[in-house]
Amino acid sequence: MGMDSRTAAGGGAAHDTPADLTSSSILQKAIAKAFKSGDHSTPCSSVEEFSAYLADPKNSVVALPDPAKKDWTRPLNEYFISSSHNTYLTGHQLYGESTTEGYVQTLTRGCRCIEIDVWDGDDGEPEVFHGYTLTKEITFKEVCKAINKHSFSSVEGERFAGAGEGPVIISLECHASHAQQLKMVQIMEKYWGDRLVQGIEPEDVTKLPSPEDLRRKIVVKAKYVAPEAAELAAAAKALSIDPTPAPPKPIKRDDTSSSSSDSELEALSQAKGRKKPKKPKVIRAFARLGAYCSSHHFPGSSGHPAPFTGHPTSQIPNHVYSFSEKAFAKHHEAYADDVFEHNKNFLMRVYPFGLRFGSSNGDPTKFWKRGVQIVALNWQKCDEGMMLNEGMFAGEGGYVLKPEGFRPGDGPVQFKTLDLTVKVIAAANLPMPEEDDKPKSFEPYVKIEIHTLKDTKEEIKKKTKAKKGVECVWDTTLDFKAVPDVVEKLTFIRFKVHDEEWGSDDLAAWACVRLDRLQEGYRVVRLFNDEGLHSNGVLFVKVEKRVY
């Protein structure tokens, strides 16, 4: 099923139209009761004004940032960046269809880092598909045209479910021959034109630019290849220096950092009892495009005691390490403090394990709390990972400045404690689970979950009792006292509506809010349905929070 990119969750799909609060008499009675209690701090002088105030998207439970006040001036490494894995797929990882629609959907939903797997095409035209699977191919040219058309929108667009103006990072996984690599470079130059960041030698970069510096630009992430000796000699001649010393030996390529496609090919090969196919070397013309995102192999087997912080490769200003979630877990176990310190200063990308064939996702907060900027998710499926991504990037234009303690020169992370009270008052227009079309048999209850930085499998959650129908009243207060390990920008509140049934209770609707964006007082929670699409469903709640 295709998604309407304007209304699909995952990259910050904030509602830009008023909530429907008038079609439900039950909801209107609950709103009138709240207004007459006098227990509100709005300037409203009538029930009608109060209802209109609650319906305004700017007054919902999510406080959207003002684009004019957003700080875009810090280097790229100081931001979390909304990111996609295997962007070209619209379904299953093994037999889903490769299509430009995957790029249109993710870009217009606020994603700012997308992935392209490129292989040799039979007719000399580079093609995009998931190698050694049954996925259908598309031409690299068509992908580049779609990216150019859909990468950017107005500044206001980034606040309400649009692409915005933040730079787009292209994670290029290249399996093409040298001839077709050269053709790829020509295609990118032709279709992206002045938007493409080019003409900068990777070796000349001393610090990363900011999103402001790169506004409406396309940045390529490409594997690093050192200049050939002839190029070095020409550069030396231009600088009037002695070109006779031998060029430095290329850094040893270790096997602990790889592209996502490499990791998946290895997993697929092992699953089928085959040897992973050899990947062609990248040509220098292609590698030069990765001036600000230069992929290097992690020197994990170099014998260096501190590979993340002390090895020369880990000091290159524009280097990017890429790890599967499984490899990252292994490195974090061995070098936890060094991983966090590395990510204050340099870019890192983590992507789903290669055997997640159903396009599922892990918990992205596990990586954000360790400072990983580019946490690539499978946008083909609405699951917990994508819900949290929606909470992180709602209205943010795909870039969120890291909190204090996560940036260069910061002191230790300051953990706080949270008291949260949510009174779940009423609901209206609730969407039902996909296979349920009988409102009389629908028995919804509301579950609230808090996701903190604590490393534990113990969930922080509470729920109401079940009611009947798509509009109902609970008037139930859910209290969370002294919740520890809170960093407001990395703590998430998930509102979930489930249908109470025998066995598993199907998810009907949800919303996810970052704690620092959670507005207090009487608020409306705008709900997504179980497929991650906007719905007319709303919860009417009263929120009180204390962070100390």
Side-chain angles (χ1 to χ4, degrees), residues 386-464:
M386 287 301 289
M387 293 178 194
L388 292 165
N389 207 65
E390 171 67 29
M392 170 64 90
F393 293 104
E396 293 277 12
Y399 284 83
V400 171
L401 186 65
K402 291 182 178 183
E404 289 186 17
F406 287 73
R407 305 196 297 267
D410 285 355
V413 177
Q414 298 299 310
F415 294 98
K416 298 182 179 181
T417 302
L418 169 68
D419 290 343
L420 176 66
T421 300
V422 180
K423 184 177 183 182
V424 182
I425 302 170
N429 305 316
L430 289 175
M432 294 184 294
E434 185 178 1
E435 297 180 0
D436 194 342
D437 59 358
K438 298 178 181 178
K440 289 184 179 180
S441 65
F442 183 43
E443 299 186 19
Y445 64 85
V446 177
K447 180 191 292 184
I448 294 179
E449 300 176 353
I450 301 178
H451 296 255
T452 70
L453 296 191
K454 189 173 184 179
D455 283 316
T456 177
K457 291 185 178 180
E458 181 182 353
E459 295 181 326
I460 306 170
K461 59 185 180 181
K462 293 189 177 183
K463 66 179 183 177
T464 68

Side-chain angles (χ1 to χ4, degrees), residues 32-303:
K33 181 180 177 181
F35 175 78
K36 291 173 183 177
S37 72
D39 185 23
H40 63 90
S41 57
T42 70
C44 303
S45 59
S46 68
V47 173
E48 291 74 20
E49 284 186 12
F50 186 51
S51 182
Y53 173 88
L54 292 171
D56 190 325
K58 295 183 177 68
N59 298 324
S60 78
V61 76
V62 183
L64 296 177
D66 183 348
K69 297 178 181 178
K70 186 175 176 69
D71 185 357
W72 290 79
T73 65
R74 306 301 305 160
L76 287 175
N77 53 286
E78 297 188 25
Y79 293 85
F80 297 119
I81 304 170
S82 185
S83 307
S84 163
H85 173 247
N86 286 353
T87 314
Y88 45 88
L89 295 179
T90 55
H92 197 279
Q93 300 287 306
L94 294 184
Y95 47 78
E97 184 178 2
S98 299
T99 169
T100 57
E101 185 61 26
Y103 293 96
V104 175
Q105 288 179 8
T106 53
L107 288 167
T108 54
R109 288 157 64 190
C111 183
R112 297 291 86 185
C113 181
I114 58 177
E115 184 178 21
I116 311 179
D117 272 19
V118 190
W119 301 75
D120 277 353
D122 293 336
D123 58 356
E125 285 289 331
E127 294 181 338
V128 176
F129 60 95
H130 200 178
Y132 299 96
T133 67
L134 298 177
T135 57
K136 305 298 183 185
E137 67 277 356
I138 46 176
T139 66
F140 181 64
K141 181 187 299 182
E142 290 304 311
V143 170
C144 288
K145 289 164 70 174
I147 290 170
N148 187 62
K149 182 177 180 180
H150 297 283
S151 284
F152 307 107
S153 69
S154 68
V155 174
E156 190 65 11
E158 71 194 32
R159 194 178 192 189
F160 294 111
E165 295 191 331
V168 171
I169 298 172
I170 310 294
S171 183
L172 267 177
E173 310 292 354
C174 184
H175 304 265
S177 64
H178 288 184
Q180 294 205 20
Q181 285 182 43
L182 189 58
K183 188 147 194 176
M184 288 170 61
V185 173
Q186 294 168 346
I187 289 170
M188 286 185 278
E189 291 174 343
K190 176 179 178 179
Y191 289 102
W192 296 343
D194 292 341
R195 288 178 170 175
L196 177 64
V197 174
Q198 57 181 317
I200 303 168
E201 300 296 336
E203 297 80 12
D204 293 340
V205 175
T206 58
K207 65 177 182 179
L208 292 181
S210 69
E212 182 64 39
D213 296 331
L214 298 172
R215 190 176 286 270
R216 286 185 168 267
K217 292 290 186 180
I218 297 175
V219 179
V220 172
K221 182 178 83 67
K223 182 173 289 186
Y224 176 73
V225 173
E228 296 294 334
E231 293 176 292
L232 287 173
K237 184 177 180 181
L239 295 170
S240 300
I241 60 176
D242 183 6
T244 54
K249 292 182 179 179
I251 296 165
K252 181 181 178 182
R253 296 188 170 188
D254 298 293
D255 60 1
T256 48
S257 171
S258 64
S259 69
S260 56
S261 56
D262 282 347
S263 172
E264 287 163 351
L265 284 174
E266 187 169 359
L268 283 167
S269 300
Q270 289 176 352
K272 294 183 178 181
R274 299 177 183 173
K275 189 175 181 180
K276 186 180 81 170
K278 191 174 181 180
K279 191 173 182 180
K281 291 183 178 180
V282 171
I283 63 174
R284 175 65 180 180
F286 186 92
R288 287 180 73 239
L289 294 178
Y292 294 136
C293 290
S294 186
S295 295
H296 287 257
H297 283 261
F298 174 60
S301 58
S302 64

